[in-house]
């Protein structure tokens, strides 16, 4: 299977949304949608790894699908605000590799 870059994902979502007259929702509406999708993901994690069992009336959902829903809406929000998610990721990784580089206990390797 061909691996997609984040840029590929953003372009694919943009082409999908571009088919519709409505286009992207407002940033505030998408933030509400992200919150909704994260809640659904939390519910599935709670059912899978927590003590809360599903009701008999609740259907099966996969964590993969719920994570995909969150990712889709995040990509929509980024696209609507002209944010390059690869660049955003690089900024965050730079922050973790500089400001937070000594924050956590590292696993020792044989070379050390």
């Amino acid at each position: 299977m061909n691996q997609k870059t984040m840029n590929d994902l953003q372009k694919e979502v943009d082409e999908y949304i571009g088919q519709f007259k409505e286009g992207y929702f407002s940033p505030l509406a998408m933030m509400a949608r992200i919150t909704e999708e994260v809640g659904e993901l939390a519910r599935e994690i709670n059912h899978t790894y927590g003590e809360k069992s599903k009701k008999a009336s609740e259907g099966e959902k996969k964590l993969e699908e719920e994570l995909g829903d969150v990712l889709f809406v995040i990509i929509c929000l980024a696209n609507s605000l002209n944010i390059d998610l690869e660049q955003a990721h690089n900024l965050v990784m730079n922050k973790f590799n500089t400001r937070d580089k000594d924050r956590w206990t590292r696993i020792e390797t044989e070379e050390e």
Side-chain angles (χ1 to χ4, degrees):
M1 186 163 86
N2 215 4
Q3 295 293 314
K4 297 177 185 177
T5 65
M6 185 58 73
N7 189 281
D8 294 335
L9 296 176
Q10 285 191 257
K11 184 178 178 188
E12 184 176 7
V13 169
D14 196 55
E15 288 171 358
Y16 174 77
I17 296 296
Q19 303 176 81
F20 307 106
K21 290 180 183 180
E22 296 82 2
Y24 290 106
F25 295 155
S26 71
L28 186 57
M30 281 192 273
M31 191 64 231
R33 179 114 187 267
I34 289 169
T35 302
E36 176 186 342
E37 296 298 349
V38 168
E40 291 176 13
L41 174 61
R43 185 173 180 85
E44 286 305 308
I45 288 175
N46 195 20
H47 289 318
T48 303
Y49 299 104
E51 289 73 33
K52 185 175 181 187
S53 59
K54 282 192 174 193
K55 297 175 186 172
S57 61
E58 290 181 299
E60 285 297 316
K61 285 194 176 179
K62 294 183 179 177
L63 291 174
E64 179 180 57
E65 181 181 349
E66 296 301 341
L67 277 170
D69 288 345
V70 171
L71 179 61
F72 179 82
V73 182
I74 287 172
I75 292 171
C76 285
L77 179 60
N79 285 354
S80 74
L81 299 173
N82 295 315
I83 293 172
D84 179 328
L85 285 173
E86 284 188 25
Q87 184 179 4
H89 171 77
N90 291 339
L91 289 170
V92 170
M93 290 309 298
N94 183 58
K95 178 175 61 177
F96 285 125
N97 287 318
T98 55
R99 184 192 74 188
D100 295 339
K101 68 182 176 74
D102 297 320
R103 187 171 186 180
W104 310 108
T105 306
R106 294 198 180 266
I107 298 171
E108 292 186 32
T109 63
E110 290 182 31
E111 295 174 7
E112 292 178 4

